[in-house]
């Protein structure tokens, strides 16, 4: 009967925790936890002691990531509901519970953790001067709050193989408990995820928003940038309803872009006609240097237009063109530099998936064109994540994202045999994982020259 009562109280709490939308950053080695809680205690059926609640406190230490050594105590004032060997109904009994446990904090996300623990429990019954000790366990959930504070919801059970003979004649029995309280871990940011902040209110979190301060009400894509009008063509140019001055600047920028594309095509064709490999490499370097200089003029023109244009649609189109130009400039460095690495800026995925966003495909189209123009170049596509979540999940996700990029490039004309893929999880960070901005930089895809 006591077990059914305990489960009836604990199961709704567990279900609410599982369905909670906010997922607690992993607890780091060296952290210390302080906490206070209220405990409702169910004594074993043979004890004739009334179920009562009392205060408690805990102190924990994390020797390694997510694993905690915890000591806690609870004060439980109760009384006898039935007569026992020497006590009559109504006799008061003050009980002190002492608990030592090893608890694993399994992160369910950035704000929530599932707790699973085991250890020993000791109860002292002060009126009878009796005591008893036995093994026990704990299951619970941690919900992060700002400032390193978290809510702890725990359920406990203890097996008494040798109950206090003054209190009961049974040779074994069980105690159950339900605890709710607050804990504080100094140095932790708590469960508030800055990754979920949306400063401009466009529905895209700041760590994925590539266009900050978007005007209210502006339709945006998955990267947080204003959507290009439905009439835009494949080069990113749109049917723009802007002033005559803005239209002139955009046309000038597009003319520069077209001239550079023609010049690039001529230079690439000339370089492939060179028979001698040494001469071909020298010609390519010279061609790329000139193309880079031409692209610098185009980038300057686009940046000038971007500062002048006010229409959201026009600015989105210009940003796309500017991102493509900068990517081509970076790709030229990769082409002429052995063992070079290139971070694919703007290549993003839907949260916790290997599905490329629409804006990422626009960038990868430029990558495919450059790799097609230089068939001797071989690359590794490297996927990286931050340190949020389980290790196995990040290893799988980084590999799947690297495969997704390689498959997209192969579908757009790049020979798959020229590309290898590898997921590095969080093993090669380029910034600190302690900040949202740093974690955003660590979630990236790279191209690495392997030839």
């Amino acid at each position: 009967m006591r077990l059914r009562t305990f489960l009836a109280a604990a199961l709704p709490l567990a279900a609410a925790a599982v369905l909670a939308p906010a997922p607690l950053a992993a607890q780091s080695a060296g952290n210390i936890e302080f906490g206070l809680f209220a405990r409702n205690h169910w004594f074993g059926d043979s004890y004739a002691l009334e179920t009562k609640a009392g205060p408690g406190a805990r102190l924990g230490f994390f020797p390694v990531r997510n694993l905690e050594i915890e000591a806690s105590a609870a004060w439980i004032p109760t009384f006898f509901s039935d007569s026992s060997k020497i006590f009559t109904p109504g006799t008061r009994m003050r009980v002190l519970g002492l608990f030592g446990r090893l608890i694993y904090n399994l992160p369910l996300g950035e704000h929530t953790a599932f707790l699973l623990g085991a250890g020993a429990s000791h109860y002292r019954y002060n009126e009878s001067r009796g005591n008893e000790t036995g093994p026990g366990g704990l299951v619970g959930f941690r919900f992060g709050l700002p400032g390193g504070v978290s809510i702890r919801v725990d359920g406990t059970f203890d097996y008494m193989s040798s109950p206090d003979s003054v209190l009961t004649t049974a040779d074994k029995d069980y105690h159950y408990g339900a605890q709710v309280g607050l804990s504080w871990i100094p140095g932790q940011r708590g469960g508030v995820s800055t990754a979920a902040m949306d400063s401009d209110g466009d529905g895209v979190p700041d760590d994925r928003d590539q266009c900050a301060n978007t005007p209210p009400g502006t339709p945006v894509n998955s990267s947080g940038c204003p959507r290009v009008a439905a009439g835009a063509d494949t080069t990113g140019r749109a049917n723009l309803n802007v002033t005559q001055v803005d239209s002139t600047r955009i046309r000038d920028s597009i003319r520069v872009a077209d001239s550079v594309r023609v010049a690039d095509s001529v230079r690439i064709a000339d370089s492939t006609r060179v028979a001698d490999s040494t001469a071909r490499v020298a010609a390519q370097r010279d061609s790329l240097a000139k193309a880079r200089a031409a692209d610098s003029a185009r980038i300057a023109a686009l940046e000038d237009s971007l500062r002048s244009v006010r229409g959201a649609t026009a600015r989105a189109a210009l940003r796309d063109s500017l991102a493509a130009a900068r990517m081509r400039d970076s790709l030229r460095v990769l082409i002429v530099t052995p063992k070079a690495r290139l971070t694919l800026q703007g290549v993003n995925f839907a949260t916790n998936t290997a599905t490329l966003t629409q804006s990422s495909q626009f960038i990868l189209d430029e990558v495919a064109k450059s790799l097609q123009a230089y068939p001797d170049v071989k690359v590794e596509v490297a996927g990286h994540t931050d340190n949020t979540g389980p290790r196995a999940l990040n290893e799988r996700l980084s590999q799947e994202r690297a495969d997704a990029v390689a498959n997209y490039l192969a579908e757009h004309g790049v020979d798959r045999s020229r590309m290898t893929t590898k997921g590095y999880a969080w093993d090669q960070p380029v910034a600190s994982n302690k900040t949202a901005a740093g974690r955003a930089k660590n979630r990236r895809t790279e191209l690495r020259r392997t030839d």
Side-chain angles (χ1 to χ4, degrees), residues 320-331:
D320 286 344
S321 297
L322 190 57
R326 287 171 175 164
M327 178 56 66
R328 281 196 296 273
D329 190 53
S330 299
L331 285 166

Side-chain angles (χ1 to χ4, degrees), residues 225-375:
C225 294
R227 294 183 182 275
V228 178
D233 61 26
T234 57
T235 65
R237 287 172 288 189
N239 296 325
L240 306 175
N241 183 18
V242 294
T243 66
Q244 184 63 39
V245 174
D246 289 343
S247 299
T248 300
R249 291 194 181 101
I250 293 170
R251 284 197 298 270
D252 289 343
S253 300
I254 294 173
R255 288 192 190 100
V256 173
D258 291 340
S259 298
V260 173
R261 291 191 186 99
V262 172
D264 283 346
S265 300
V266 173
R267 293 184 184 100
I268 293 169
D270 289 343
S271 64
T272 57
R273 296 190 186 99
V274 180
D276 182 75
S277 60
T278 303
R280 183 171 65 250
V281 171
Q284 288 177 349
R285 287 180 180 273
D286 179 66
S287 175
L288 290 171
K290 293 178 181 178
R292 188 174 186 182
D295 236 5
S296 296
R298 175 174 176 259
I299 289 173
L302 288 170
E303 289 175 340
D304 179 65
S305 296
L306 189 60
R307 285 190 291 269
S308 304
V309 171
R310 291 295 179 264
T313 304
R315 292 178 63 84
L318 286 173
R319 286 194 189 98
D320 286 344
S321 297
L322 190 57
R326 287 171 175 164
M327 178 56 66
R328 281 196 296 273
D329 190 53
S330 299
L331 285 166
R332 292 188 181 100
V333 176
L334 179 76
I335 294 301
V336 299
T337 309
K339 307 301 180 184
R341 295 186 180 186
L342 168 63
T343 297
L344 298 178
Q345 300 288 351
V347 173
N348 299 304
F349 302 84
T351 304
N352 291 330
T353 73
T355 303
L356 287 162
T357 62
Q358 185 176 1
S359 58
S360 299
Q361 296 174 11
F362 178 74
I363 297 298
L364 289 178
D365 288 342
E366 295 296 333
V367 176
K369 292 175 185 177
S370 294
L371 292 178
Q372 283 180 290
Y374 295 91

Side-chain angles (χ1 to χ4, degrees), residues 65-104:
R65 181 185 177 87
N66 293 335
L67 188 64
E68 179 181 18
I69 301 172
E70 182 180 271
S72 61
W75 181 247
I76 311 162
T78 184
F79 61 88
F80 284 90
S81 56
D82 297 310
S83 58
S84 66
K85 294 170 58 178
I86 60 175
F87 298 103
T88 59
T91 301
R92 295 183 178 277
M93 176 66 69
R94 293 187 291 274
V95 183
L96 175 63
L98 303 173
F99 314 97
R101 302 186 181 97
L102 191 64
I103 301 176
Y104 183 70

Side-chain angles (χ1 to χ4, degrees), residues 2 5-6 37-44 48-56 74-81 90-95 97 99 123 156 175-179:
R2 303 291 175 103
T5 304
F6 167 74
F37 59 86
R39 175 183 176 88
N40 198 57
H41 190 90
W42 290 267
F43 293 92
L49 287 170
E50 187 70 14
T51 298
K52 284 293 181 180
W75 181 247
I76 311 162
T78 184
F79 61 88
F80 284 90
S81 56
T91 301
R92 295 183 178 277
M93 176 66 69
R94 293 187 291 274
V95 183
F99 314 97
Y123 293 93
T156 67
H175 295 318
Y176 304 96
Q179 303 175 167

Side-chain angles (χ1 to χ4, degrees), residues 17-29:
V18 171
L19 296 175
L24 184 67
Q27 306 304 329
S28 303

